Amino acid sequence: KLPSLHYRPVDLITVAEIRETVANAASTYYTARDCKTVLTRLFELAGADGYCNKNLPSYIVLPKLEEKERQVFTEEEQRSLWQLYESGDNRAAIPLLMICTGMMPGEMQRLKVEHIDLANQKIVGVGMKTKVRKESPVFLPNDILPIVEDLIASAQPSGYIFARNEDKWYADYYAALKAANCRRLEPYCCRHTTA
Protein backbone atom coordinates (compact mmCIF):
# COMPACT_ATOMS: atom_id res chain seq x y z
CA LYS A 1 0.00 0.00 0.00
CA LEU A 2 2.89 2.38 0.65
CA PRO A 3 5.44 1.82 -2.15
CA SER A 4 6.65 5.43 -2.17
CA LEU A 5 8.07 4.88 1.31
CA HIS A 6 9.74 1.51 0.63
CA TYR A 7 13.24 2.80 0.00
CA ARG A 8 13.09 6.18 1.71
CA PRO A 9 15.52 6.68 4.59
CA VAL A 10 13.28 6.98 7.63
CA ASP A 11 15.07 10.07 8.93
CA LEU A 12 14.25 11.96 5.69
CA ILE A 13 10.51 11.30 5.64
CA THR A 14 8.42 14.39 6.39
CA VAL A 15 4.99 14.80 7.98
CA ALA A 16 3.57 16.06 4.69
CA GLU A 17 5.00 13.07 2.82
CA ILE A 18 3.69 10.48 5.25
CA ARG A 19 0.23 12.09 5.33
CA GLU A 20 0.02 12.30 1.53
CA THR A 21 1.24 8.72 1.09
CA VAL A 22 -1.38 7.29 3.45
CA ALA A 23 -4.14 9.48 2.00
CA ASN A 24 -3.30 8.24 -1.51
CA ALA A 25 -3.08 4.60 -0.41
CA ALA A 26 -6.18 4.46 1.76
CA SER A 27 -9.44 6.28 1.27
CA THR A 28 -11.30 4.38 4.00
CA TYR A 29 -10.84 4.47 7.75
CA TYR A 30 -9.79 0.87 8.36
CA THR A 31 -7.22 0.73 5.56
CA ALA A 32 -5.72 4.06 6.66
CA ARG A 33 -5.69 2.86 10.27
CA ASP A 34 -3.82 -0.29 9.22
CA CYS A 35 -1.25 1.79 7.32
CA LYS A 36 -0.82 4.02 10.36
CA THR A 37 -0.35 0.99 12.63
CA VAL A 38 2.36 -0.49 10.41
CA LEU A 39 4.15 2.86 10.08
CA THR A 40 3.96 3.48 13.82
CA ARG A 41 5.66 0.14 14.49
CA LEU A 42 8.32 0.79 11.85
CA PHE A 43 9.11 4.23 13.31
CA GLU A 44 9.29 2.67 16.82
CA LEU A 45 11.85 0.14 15.55
CA ALA A 46 13.78 2.81 13.65
CA GLY A 47 13.85 4.94 16.81
CA ALA A 48 15.06 2.00 18.91
CA ASP A 49 17.90 1.48 16.44
CA GLY A 50 18.79 5.19 16.50
CA TYR A 51 17.70 6.01 12.96
CA CYS A 52 15.15 8.62 13.99
CA ASN A 53 13.66 10.17 17.08
CA LYS A 54 10.25 11.11 15.79
CA ASN A 55 6.81 9.55 15.66
CA LEU A 56 5.56 10.89 12.33
CA PRO A 57 2.66 8.39 12.08
CA SER A 58 1.02 10.18 15.03
CA TYR A 59 0.39 13.07 12.59
CA ILE A 60 -1.55 10.93 10.10
CA VAL A 61 -5.15 12.08 9.92
CA LEU A 62 -7.50 9.14 9.43
CA PRO A 63 -10.58 9.45 7.22
CA LYS A 64 -13.91 9.61 9.00
CA LEU A 65 -15.25 6.21 10.02
CA GLU A 66 -18.50 5.76 8.19
CA GLU A 67 -20.22 2.79 9.76
CA LYS A 68 -23.10 1.55 7.69
CA GLU A 69 -25.83 -0.62 9.03
CA ARG A 70 -25.41 -4.07 7.60
CA GLN A 71 -28.05 -5.13 5.15
CA VAL A 72 -29.66 -8.54 5.09
CA PHE A 73 -30.61 -10.81 2.22
CA THR A 74 -34.30 -10.56 1.42
CA GLU A 75 -36.43 -13.68 1.27
CA GLU A 76 -36.58 -13.24 -2.50
CA GLU A 77 -32.78 -13.11 -2.75
CA GLN A 78 -32.51 -16.22 -0.60
CA ARG A 79 -35.01 -18.04 -2.85
CA SER A 80 -32.96 -16.96 -5.87
CA LEU A 81 -29.80 -18.39 -4.31
CA TRP A 82 -31.59 -21.69 -3.60
CA GLN A 83 -32.85 -21.80 -7.20
CA LEU A 84 -29.34 -21.10 -8.46
CA TYR A 85 -27.95 -23.95 -6.37
CA GLU A 86 -30.70 -26.32 -7.50
CA SER A 87 -29.91 -25.43 -11.13
CA GLY A 88 -26.40 -26.80 -10.59
CA ASP A 89 -24.37 -23.71 -9.66
CA ASN A 90 -22.45 -24.92 -6.60
CA ARG A 91 -21.07 -21.43 -5.90
CA ALA A 92 -24.44 -20.60 -4.34
CA ALA A 93 -23.53 -22.99 -1.51
CA ILE A 94 -21.20 -20.33 -0.10
CA PRO A 95 -23.77 -17.63 0.70
CA LEU A 96 -26.45 -20.20 1.53
CA LEU A 97 -24.30 -21.98 4.10
CA MET A 98 -23.31 -18.65 5.65
CA ILE A 99 -26.92 -17.44 5.77
CA CYS A 100 -28.11 -20.68 7.39
CA THR A 101 -25.29 -20.99 9.93
CA GLY A 102 -23.88 -17.52 10.58
CA MET A 103 -20.35 -18.70 9.78
CA MET A 104 -17.68 -16.08 9.10
CA PRO A 105 -15.67 -15.99 5.84
CA GLY A 106 -12.52 -17.22 7.60
CA GLU A 107 -14.41 -20.14 9.09
CA MET A 108 -15.81 -21.04 5.69
CA GLN A 109 -12.36 -20.97 4.13
CA ARG A 110 -10.90 -23.31 6.75
CA LEU A 111 -13.88 -25.70 6.75
CA LYS A 112 -12.89 -29.34 6.22
CA VAL A 113 -14.91 -32.55 5.99
CA GLU A 114 -13.57 -33.60 9.40
CA HIS A 115 -15.24 -30.56 11.02
CA ILE A 116 -18.70 -31.64 9.90
CA ASP A 117 -20.76 -33.91 12.15
CA LEU A 118 -23.78 -34.65 9.98
CA ALA A 119 -25.35 -37.10 12.45
CA ASN A 120 -25.56 -34.38 15.11
CA GLN A 121 -26.11 -31.57 12.60
CA LYS A 122 -23.17 -29.44 13.65
CA ILE A 123 -19.77 -28.17 12.60
CA VAL A 124 -17.02 -28.17 15.23
CA GLY A 125 -13.49 -26.80 15.32
CA VAL A 126 -13.71 -23.97 12.77
CA GLY A 127 -14.46 -21.07 15.13
CA MET A 128 -12.17 -18.07 15.07
CA LYS A 129 -11.33 -14.90 17.01
CA THR A 130 -12.72 -15.55 20.50
CA LYS A 131 -12.27 -18.52 22.83
CA VAL A 132 -16.04 -18.98 23.03
CA ARG A 133 -16.36 -18.93 19.23
CA LYS A 134 -13.53 -21.46 18.86
CA GLU A 135 -15.19 -23.86 21.31
CA SER A 136 -18.79 -23.40 20.14
CA PRO A 137 -20.31 -25.68 17.53
CA VAL A 138 -22.04 -24.27 14.48
CA PHE A 139 -25.47 -25.85 14.17
CA LEU A 140 -26.80 -27.03 10.83
CA PRO A 141 -30.51 -26.45 10.27
CA ASN A 142 -32.41 -29.12 8.33
CA ASP A 143 -32.73 -26.95 5.22
CA ILE A 144 -28.98 -26.78 4.61
CA LEU A 145 -28.22 -30.50 5.16
CA PRO A 146 -28.60 -31.52 1.48
CA ILE A 147 -26.10 -28.84 0.47
CA VAL A 148 -23.67 -29.92 3.20
CA GLU A 149 -23.94 -33.52 2.02
CA ASP A 150 -23.16 -32.37 -1.55
CA LEU A 151 -20.21 -30.33 -0.28
CA ILE A 152 -18.79 -33.32 1.57
CA ALA A 153 -19.15 -35.50 -1.53
CA SER A 154 -17.33 -32.96 -3.70
CA ALA A 155 -14.66 -31.91 -1.17
CA GLN A 156 -11.11 -31.36 -2.36
CA PRO A 157 -8.61 -34.21 -1.86
CA SER A 158 -7.10 -32.19 1.01
CA GLY A 159 -10.45 -32.38 2.79
CA TYR A 160 -11.21 -28.69 2.40
CA ILE A 161 -14.76 -27.89 1.37
CA PHE A 162 -14.03 -24.62 -0.45
CA ALA A 163 -11.12 -23.15 -2.39
CA ARG A 164 -8.18 -22.34 -0.15
CA ASN A 165 -7.32 -19.31 -2.26
CA GLU A 166 -9.03 -16.36 -0.56
CA ASP A 167 -9.40 -14.42 -3.82
CA LYS A 168 -11.13 -17.38 -5.48
CA TRP A 169 -13.42 -17.86 -2.49
CA TYR A 170 -14.54 -14.22 -2.65
CA ALA A 171 -14.83 -14.38 -6.45
CA ASP A 172 -17.10 -17.43 -6.15
CA TYR A 173 -19.18 -15.75 -3.45
CA TYR A 174 -19.78 -12.60 -5.52
CA ALA A 175 -20.30 -14.59 -8.74
CA ALA A 176 -23.08 -16.54 -7.00
CA LEU A 177 -24.77 -13.31 -5.95
CA LYS A 178 -24.55 -11.92 -9.46
CA ALA A 179 -25.85 -15.13 -11.04
CA ALA A 180 -28.80 -15.13 -8.61
CA ASN A 181 -29.54 -11.45 -9.32
CA CYS A 182 -28.87 -10.51 -5.68
CA ARG A 183 -27.49 -7.21 -4.50
CA ARG A 184 -23.71 -7.18 -4.05
CA LEU A 185 -23.82 -7.66 -0.30
CA GLU A 186 -20.60 -8.43 1.52
CA PRO A 187 -20.23 -11.82 3.25
CA TYR A 188 -20.87 -10.41 6.73
CA CYS A 189 -24.38 -9.54 5.58
CA CYS A 190 -25.01 -13.30 5.61
CA ARG A 191 -24.41 -13.31 9.39
CA HIS A 192 -26.81 -10.44 9.83
CA THR A 193 -29.36 -12.37 7.82
CA THR A 194 -28.84 -15.35 10.14
CA ALA A 195 -29.43 -13.11 13.16
Side-chain angles (χ1 to χ4, degrees):
K1 290 282 184 192
L2 307 169
S4 65
L5 298 179
H6 284 184
Y7 301 106
R8 294 275 293 132
V10 71
D11 60 330
L12 299 180
I13 297 173
T14 65
V15 170
E17 181 181 11
I18 202 168
R19 281 181 164 176
E20 180 182 350
T21 301
V22 172
N24 289 337
S27 60
T28 61
Y29 174 83
Y30 289 109
T31 306
R33 183 199 61 186
D34 292 346
C35 291
K36 183 175 182 175
T37 299
V38 169
L39 290 169
T40 297
R41 184 66 178 135
L42 291 174
F43 272 82
E44 286 173 358
L45 293 171
D49 287 340
Y51 291 109
C52 71
N53 62 356
K54 48 195 169 187
N55 181 10
L56 295 187
S58 66
Y59 297 102
I60 295 172
V61 178
L62 299 177
K64 184 179 180 203
L65 175 60
E66 295 186 23
E67 292 280 352
K68 296 181 223 166
E69 187 173 322
R70 300 269 188 201
Q71 297 183 14
V72 298
F73 285 87
T74 64
E75 289 183 19
E76 184 178 328
E77 288 172 321
Q78 292 177 57
R79 276 193 299 275
S80 294
L81 286 165
W82 279 102
Q83 289 168 354
L84 180 65
Y85 184 81
E86 289 165 2
S87 74
D89 192 330
N90 294 338
R91 297 173 302 184
I94 296 172
L96 287 171
L97 185 58
M98 292 177 73
I99 288 168
C100 289
T101 64
M103 290 176 69
M104 295 186 280
E107 294 169 337
M108 293 282 287
Q109 292 166 28
R110 63 189 289 199
L111 179 61
K112 294 179 97 172
V113 172
E114 66 194 49
H115 297 129
I116 301 170
D117 179 355
L118 268 180
N120 294 304
Q121 292 186 229
K122 63 184 178 180
I123 297 173
V124 293
V126 295
M128 299 174 64
K129 294 193 177 182
T130 66
K131 184 176 189 290
V132 171
R133 183 82 182 166
K134 289 176 184 174
E135 294 173 355
S136 298
V138 175
F139 294 100
L140 297 169
N142 293 336
D143 293 350
I144 199 71
L145 288 178
I147 289 180
V148 174
E149 290 170 352
D150 290 348
L151 290 171
I152 291 170
S154 63
Q156 300 173 24
S158 61
Y160 285 100
I161 298 295
F162 299 107
R164 293 296 293 149
N165 179 298
E166 186 176 351
D167 291 337
K168 172 149 178 32
W169 187 90
Y170 278 100
D172 287 347
Y173 169 84
Y174 286 112
L177 298 189
K178 184 175 182 179
N181 294 315
C182 294
R183 292 167 294 157
R184 187 177 168 84
L185 299 178
E186 58 190 46
Y188 274 92
C189 293
C190 295
R191 289 172 55 78
H192 286 258
T193 305
T194 307

